[in-house]
Amino acid sequence: MTAISENRTIIQDKIRAAAKKAGRDLSTINLVAVSKKQTPARIQEALDAGMRLFGENRVQEAYEHWAALKPSYPGLKLHLIGPLQSNKAVEAVALFDCIETIDRPNLVDALTSEMKKQGKSFPCFIQVNTGEEPQKSGILPADLPDLLIYCGEKGLKINGLMCMPPAAEPPALHFSFLKKLAQRHGLPNLSMGMSGDFEKAVLSGATHIRVGTALFGERE
Ligand SMILES: *Cc1c(COP(=O)(O)O)cnc(C)c1O
């Protein structure tokens, strides 16, 4: 076994234990392997270990990692988990299978017009700035209902919410808040939890946990 497949087993065991504790079905929890700032060798190791769901936080870097590889792995899914500039919508729609960071109307405009042009469409998540931190991306909780309506009008399907809790606060409070918001709007997916807190996220209902360093090791 390689280091990455060992790490994966450890993470999966923890997910299984947390799911059991929460009385949740394991098959509703997806491990998103965050490959940002990892080497091609480590990425290949993850692929060889059978992993097929990856997250990247920058469009340019995602192309460097995946443009050549993706066609060779038909089941592979890529999620964008970092902020997206509207002028990168062309590249984002072409490469990704889900954008988890929708947070403003002009991004919805750019993505829906690109999806039409490319004849490609996929459901996305809205990122919520649950801590209402000024420097952080994500929509404020109070503005979520309007953005959901806007997405509906524009024909962008939203089937989940994503958050990154403030570093200094207990993440579980933010996880359960995000879950409440998702329930209120009938959204099935919740992307929350990273290397340091994914078990708490599973206990709070996460369907997508985004794990980088615990899986791949330290970033470059
Ligand atoms: C980097 C990153 C992660 C993964 O962080 P780790 O602590 O390495 O697991 C998860 N989510 C987002 C949005 C990230 O940018």
Side-chain angles (χ1 to χ4, degrees):
M1 282 226 291
T2 67
I4 289 174
S5 64
E6 276 173 30
N7 291 342
R8 182 197 192 189
T9 304
I10 293 167
I11 293 164
Q12 280 175 332
D13 286 347
K14 290 180 175 172
I15 293 173
R16 191 175 302 113
K20 192 173 175 207
K21 196 167 161 193
R24 296 187 55 199
D25 177 356
L26 199 56
S27 70
T28 62
I29 302 159
N30 301 279
L31 174 57
V32 180
V34 177
S35 48
K36 71 179 184 203
K37 298 199 179 96
Q38 297 293 349
T39 60
R42 284 184 181 168
I43 291 173
Q44 189 59 54
E45 226 181 285
L47 286 166
D48 293 345
M51 305 202 69
R52 292 294 181 270
L53 176 57
F54 292 86
E56 288 280 354
N57 74 332
R58 291 181 55 235
V59 175
Q60 179 59 40
E61 191 190 352
Y63 266 83
E64 288 159 19
H65 282 165
W66 295 106
L69 272 180
K70 203 174 181 230
S72 315
Y73 294 89
L76 192 132
K77 301 278 182 223
L78 278 184
H79 283 208
L80 180 64
I81 60 172
L84 178 60
Q85 289 172 285
S86 301
N87 64 9
K88 300 252 174 67
V90 186
E91 291 90 344
V93 168
L95 184 68
F96 289 98
D97 303 286
C98 175
I99 290 161
E100 297 196 8
T101 50
I102 307 291
D103 64 356
R104 59 194 191 278
N106 81 339
L107 181 56
V108 176
D109 294 345
L111 287 174
T112 48
S113 102
E114 243 346 281
M115 284 176 170
K116 253 179 224 124
K117 272 187 213 153
Q118 298 188 25
K120 182 183 176 191
S121 78
F122 44 82
C124 291
F125 300 172
I126 288 177
Q127 181 178 0
V128 184
N129 185 353
T130 57
E132 310 202 12
E133 296 172 283
Q135 81 286 6
K136 214 173 243 176
S137 41
I139 191 146
L140 293 175
D143 297 331
L144 175 63
D146 282 350
L147 186 60
L148 278 166
I149 290 168
Y150 192 77
C151 291
E153 285 168 0
K154 286 282 175 166
L156 181 66
K157 180 152 174 57
I158 299 294
N159 67 358
L161 299 179
M162 178 269 214
C163 78
M164 297 232 289
E169 291 179 24
L173 291 179
H174 293 268
F175 296 158
S176 52
F177 179 50
L178 196 72
K179 181 173 180 156
K180 250 183 225 131
L181 290 176
Q183 279 176 331
R184 187 178 304 161
H185 295 287
L187 304 170
N189 293 314
L190 280 170
S191 173
M192 53 192 199
M194 320 201 309
S195 291
D197 54 18
F198 67 85
E199 292 159 278
K200 289 190 181 99
V202 168
L203 289 174
S204 300
T207 61
H208 293 71
I209 56 169
R210 311 179 305 267
V211 179
T213 47
L215 182 67
F216 289 102
E218 289 302 323
R219 285 183 273 275
E220 299 271 273

